[in-house]
Amino acid sequence: MNASLPDVPEVRVVGLPLLTSGFDLVERLDLAMHLKVHGPLEPMAGESLAGLSEAISLRGRGGAGFPFAKKLRAVADAAIRRGVRPVVVVNGSEDEPACRKDTVLINRAPHLILDGALLAAEALGARTLVVGVTRDSTESSMLAALAERGLTNRRGSSIRARVQRNPVRMVTGESSALVRSADGGPPMPPGRKVRTSDSGVGGAPTLLSNAETFAQLAVAARIGADRYCRTGLREEPGTVLLTVSGAVARPMVVEVPTGVPLRYVLQLAGAPPLPQGVLTGGYHGKWLDAITAHDAVVSRASLEACGGALGAGAILPIGPGTCPLGEALHVANWLASESAGQCGPCYLGLPAAARGLADVLDGGGPTALEALREVTRAVKRRGACKHPDGTAAFIESTITAFTDDLAAHVLGGGCGRPVEGVLPLQQEVSQAEAPSGRRLAVDWTLCQGHGLCADIIPELIQLGPDGFPGVAEASVPRYSEARATRAVRRCPALALRIEEDPSAPSPRTALPLALPPGRGRGRRALGSGRS
């Protein structure tokens, strides 16, 4: 079973701390301790703040790596052009099971994040600040930090500040999903490609960036660009926060200067001396083999040059004693379960990709491998957000990085190594990849081949050459429960039912069972004709 990380794992630092200053003194820096450690912060004009961001080459630390100065100027220009006040949003929605850097910052140094966000708000003339979170611990810490500063969401306040709590889901951290939820909608991507700098919260130009990004801005504003750039690489100065987990003795969040060898970070966490592979950038990231990881350094450019990714700063080695493809399959199933269910490339393509990877592992041969590649190509650049693209990139990287293991599974009987669950998944969420405790079953004595079920739930039922369902039974994953129920109710012949699945370890009662034959025949059937 995959282990999950605590909200606040061990925190280490290589060199002098910047973001983690004061962590050796207290567990959480309240406002008084924050000011003792970091000192006061003077406001800055908008262009001065943009110039500082350019001087330190500040990029977003949430994964995309967009230049902060460009985003700041774009919001300012849009606000001036439209004559409206912009909004500042801190994205602390860290919902990937392998990432904890932002959660650590919010729990232990919330005022450093607020410093950067309020600095930007003052420079832009913004009067609204929203902090997006998804965990109990981050919500309570940020609410306490706002209270310590006397910030509220009351009308008439010089700046209205509030915490937006969303559920722990991979897609809720996407910028448009956070904006949508802040406006009172569901925390899911809307499907429209609109830049938040043009139209975000309340339709106003919105500066939305990651929690660490604002914290880095606050550090640089205090110490100045020259001193900030003395740490790390010339092209990418400063430090980065990394979450190191997987096959390590001590999962941790570590602050390191850019340019530090990746192997040193792995040694610090107690990774195997020669890991089989290292996943960089998290579950939307890319794998490095052992030799490449040994030569890589911690920086966005270095990792990209050797085929990896800095992403959201998650680093996950796996040891030589586990099947890398099997470990990746656990993650692929979880990523498929995290679909918002809004667009076909995501809620159909990602489960199909996970099934394709399972077919490869089960010895499906070259045909299964080519089918997997075709599925991953098909989902790219067609989703409502970047979740399908990131998942496809992860699967493609998996089958590219572990060629020997791939050959053993495709051409032979497998690699012979167990799947140990070393890649962390949230326990309460990782169960989504398992069956729901129900299964769809087709009563062949009633089925007339209308095909409506295949239209409603194509991820579970496909029609065979004769026009009838190609399966007699299919386990229902939890992300397909609602559509499975609808398919049962819409079957014109009442041939489809949901039953208890005896193979599932813990059946759930969320789905109604189908009526037994002979019951409910007086109701008018929904739908007619062959679909």
Side-chain angles (χ1 to χ4, degrees):
M1 187 63 175
N2 298 68
S4 62
L5 292 174
D7 277 11
V8 184
E10 176 185 359
V11 179
R12 301 288 296 272
V13 60
V14 176
L16 295 176
L18 294 178
L19 300 175
T20 58
S21 293
F23 281 22
D24 58 333
L25 302 175
V26 292
E27 285 299 309
R28 178 184 181 275
L29 281 75
D30 61 14
L31 182 58
M33 181 58 73
H34 168 74
L35 292 174
K36 288 180 181 179
V37 171
H38 293 284
L41 180 61
E42 297 296 327
M44 298 179 66
E47 188 52 42
S48 298
L49 193 61
L52 172 67
S53 304
E54 283 182 328
I56 65 172
S57 301
L58 181 61
R59 289 177 173 268
R61 302 299 177 92
F66 193 81
F68 186 82
K70 286 186 177 180
K71 188 181 296 186
L72 188 67
R73 289 193 174 104
V75 172
D77 291 344
I80 293 171
R81 184 174 64 253
R82 294 175 52 190
V84 298
R85 288 193 180 274
V87 176
V88 174
V89 176
V90 177
N91 191 350
S93 308
E94 194 170 43
D95 304 316
E96 187 173 323
C99 294
R100 288 295 185 275
K101 66 180 184 67
D102 293 326
T103 303
V104 164
L105 275 178
I106 295 174
N107 274 281
R108 300 197 62 182
H111 290 285
L112 198 60
I113 299 167
L114 288 177
D115 276 348
L118 293 171
L119 193 67
E122 180 72 16
L124 290 169
R127 293 294 180 263
T128 303
L129 170 64
V130 180
V131 183
V133 299
T134 55
R135 303 176 188 275
D136 290 339
S137 63
T138 50
E139 181 181 30
S140 61
S141 179
M142 190 53 72
L143 285 173
L146 293 179
E148 289 163 6
R149 288 177 178 251
L151 294 173
T152 70
N153 193 33
R154 289 196 295 265
R155 291 181 181 275
S157 302
S158 59
I159 181 165
R160 299 181 63 179
R162 61 186 173 93
V163 174
Q164 173 67 37
R165 174 70 185 269
N166 288 327
V168 180
R169 291 294 307 278
M170 187 78 167
V171 295
T172 60
E174 202 268 342
S175 60
S176 63
L178 179 52
V179 167
R180 192 179 185 187
S181 68
D183 281 336
M188 295 187 294
R192 302 185 305 275
K193 306 293 185 181
V194 179
R195 292 184 301 179
T196 57
S197 59
D198 292 330
S199 179
V201 175
T206 299
L207 177 68
L208 187 152
S209 203
N210 168 263
E212 184 194 342
T213 313
F214 284 111
Q216 293 281 3
L217 183 67
V219 168
R222 277 188 169 89
I223 66 177
D226 290 342
R227 183 177 165 192
Y228 185 95
C229 292
R230 292 173 193 166
T231 300
L233 299 171
R234 177 179 299 178
E235 300 80 10
E236 296 181 42
T239 64
V240 295
L241 287 178
L242 303 175
T243 310
V244 189
S245 62
V248 297
R250 300 177 301 279
M252 63 177 59
V253 169
V254 55
E255 182 181 11
V256 301
T258 56
V260 167
L262 180 60
R263 64 180 178 274
Y264 181 79
V265 175
L266 296 174
Q267 291 169 4
L268 188 66
L274 192 64
Q276 185 178 185
V278 179
L279 180 60
T280 59
Y283 295 156
H284 278 177
K286 298 179 181 179
W287 289 97
L288 299 179
D289 59 46
I291 296 176
T292 304
H294 183 273
D295 297 332
V297 301
V298 177
S299 81
R300 186 177 303 276
S302 171
L303 290 173
E304 289 178 355
C306 61
L310 180 60
I315 305 294
L316 301 103
I318 58 172
T322 185
C323 172
L325 300 181
E327 299 290 345
L329 178 59
H330 275 303
V331 176
N333 282 327
W334 179 81
L335 289 168
S337 75
E338 287 297 287
S339 169
Q342 297 187 124
C343 58
C346 195
Y347 86 82
L348 296 178
L350 300 191
R355 289 195 302 268
L357 183 57
D359 290 342
V360 171
L361 265 69
D362 291 339
T367 301
L369 180 58
E370 182 54 37
L372 173 60
R373 287 173 171 154
E374 181 61 30
V375 170
T376 56
R377 285 194 295 265
V379 302
K380 289 181 179 178
R381 295 178 295 278
R382 297 174 56 220
C385 67
K386 294 296 184 181
H387 184 51
D389 300 59
T391 302
F394 168 77
I395 294 176
E396 288 176 340
S397 177
T398 299
I399 62 178
T400 300
F402 302 106
T403 52
D404 291 344
D405 297 273
L406 187 66
H409 283 278
V410 171
L411 303 177
C415 67
R417 286 172 290 180
V419 179
E420 299 174 341
V422 299
L423 300 180
L425 295 175
Q426 292 155 344
Q427 296 290 355
E428 71 275 10
V429 180
S430 64
Q431 291 298 318
E433 73 180 70
S436 62
R438 308 293 189 196
R439 67 181 179 186
L440 281 174
V442 178
D443 185 338
W444 295 116
T445 66
L446 298 176
C447 182
Q448 299 175 11
H450 293 92
L452 195 61
C453 56
D455 287 341
I456 296 174
I457 191 163
E459 66 266 39
L460 298 182
I461 297 179
Q462 298 87 39
L463 300 183
D466 57 359
F468 284 79
V471 295
E473 296 176 351
S475 294
V476 180
R478 294 182 183 176
Y479 55 83
S480 295
E481 287 179 340
R483 285 189 294 275
T485 301
R486 188 160 68 250
V488 169
R489 292 172 176 169
R490 295 288 301 275
C491 178
L494 302 180
L496 191 66
R497 66 193 70 248
I498 296 176
E499 302 173 340
E500 298 285 353
D501 187 350
S503 65
S506 56
R508 289 176 54 179
T509 57
L511 292 179
L513 295 176
L515 294 174
R519 296 285 302 277
R521 295 294 181 136
R523 284 193 316 141
R524 182 172 61 88
L526 294 176
S528 60
R530 192 182 184 88
S531 58

